[in-house]
Amino acid sequence: MESLRIIDTWPVPTAAAAVVRADGTVLGAHGPTTHRFPLASVTKPLAAYAALVAYEEGAIELDEPAGPEGSTVRHLLVR
């Protein structure tokens, strides 16, 4: 996939990307896909951003149940 090869132009020492279907099928990958990238706490803002995009698109509501019983999407974003 040409769109994956564009990561070769990114100004970073190591980059890898993949296109994955909802069923887990990998459609294409480029770069050192077995390299471990230390995302650490970067995953929290990424997950929060994804949830807010889903809210903006109407896919979820902030007050719908999520996570442990009694919790909502809003609760999970605040913690």
Side-chain angles (χ1 to χ4, degrees), residues 3-62:
S3 57
L4 290 174
R5 282 190 285 277
I6 199 163
I7 68 169
D8 290 336
T9 65
W10 293 357
V12 296
T14 308
V19 176
V20 183
R21 297 187 117 155
D23 66 2
T25 304
V26 177
L27 297 178
H30 188 74
T33 56
T34 59
H35 180 82
R36 291 198 177 261
F37 293 91
L39 292 179
S41 62
V42 172
T43 58
K44 293 173 188 130
L46 291 174
Y49 182 70
L52 293 175
V53 169
Y55 170 75
E56 184 178 62
E57 293 179 355
I60 64 169
E61 291 295 325
L62 294 178

